[in-house]
Amino acid sequence: MSIDDLDARILTTFTDDPQVGVLGAARAIGVARGTVQARLDRMQQRGVVRTFAPQVDPAAVGYPVTAFITLEIRQGRGHDPVVAHLSAIPEVLEAHTITGTGDLMIRVVARDNADLQRVIDKVVDDGHVLRASTVIALARQIAYRTLPLVQAAAEGSAQRGRQG
């Protein structure tokens, strides 16, 4: 799926002001409301836009400690049993299958370091988890972001269009 300049402008508008609404975005960009709505619908159908839900800051709701845990899991049963176990732990924000010495990388949050120990204990309290290695994030230098990627994709699409 390619992102063109108009898609990038729409996504930028909603990223800069999530409450702008379709009509407000259309006015800000200078296109018809129906165009913005059709583009948003298409991007949702293709999975480019996953959600319009608010992004909650864990620190603002009492979980200021972030840590990344690499898990080595018992081979033979796959990731499903461990992922099911991790899904039941609210402090586990995401999990990724990885290459290297570990099998899964998870991001967790906690109220403080003692609470982090409780979270780690819950994570490893599964017979499929063989080993865990934890690193604590001291400070976030770049927050999760996708807008620069969207803008780069739109530029790449425009360049391919000029070359083709």
Side-chain angles (χ1 to χ4, degrees):
M1 142 104 213
S2 61
I3 298 288
D4 65 15
D5 180 61
L6 180 56
D7 291 334
R9 288 175 28 221
I10 291 168
L11 293 171
T12 299
T13 300
F14 277 94
T15 300
D16 290 345
D17 183 5
Q19 297 179 5
V20 70
V22 173
L23 182 59
R27 287 179 179 157
I29 297 168
V31 299
R33 187 200 70 73
T35 300
V36 172
Q37 188 64 61
R39 292 290 187 113
L40 284 173
D41 291 345
R42 187 186 71 190
M43 287 188 281
Q44 279 187 290
Q45 290 168 354
R46 292 182 173 175
V48 173
V49 174
R50 293 184 299 175
T51 181
F52 287 98
Q55 292 184 2
V56 175
D57 182 352
V61 293
Y63 294 86
V65 176
T66 297
F68 298 90
I69 305 174
T70 302
L71 299 177
E72 291 180 34
I73 63 172
R74 187 173 313 283
Q75 302 300 307
R77 301 257 331 245
H79 293 88
D80 293 345
V82 177
V83 171
H85 168 70
L86 295 173
S87 296
I89 303 170
E91 295 87 357
V92 174
L93 301 184
E94 59 185 322
H96 301 269
T97 301
I98 60 170
T99 62
T101 57
D103 299 301
L104 289 169
M105 172 74 70
I106 64 173
R107 180 168 57 129
V108 301
V109 292
R111 295 185 183 282
D112 53 35
N113 285 350
D115 189 48
L116 177 60
Q117 182 62 61
R118 178 193 60 80
V119 173
I120 294 168
D121 290 345
K122 286 175 77 170
V123 165
V124 299
D125 188 23
D126 181 277
H128 298 97
V129 176
L130 298 175
R131 185 180 329 265
S133 175
T134 304
V135 293
I136 298 173
L138 298 177
R140 178 174 47 205
Q141 300 299 325
I142 299 174
Y144 180 80
R145 63 195 183 136
T146 57
L147 197 52
L149 187 62
V150 166
Q151 292 165 340
E155 290 169 10
S157 178
Q159 288 176 356
R160 286 189 298 278
R162 286 190 294 268
Q163 294 172 353

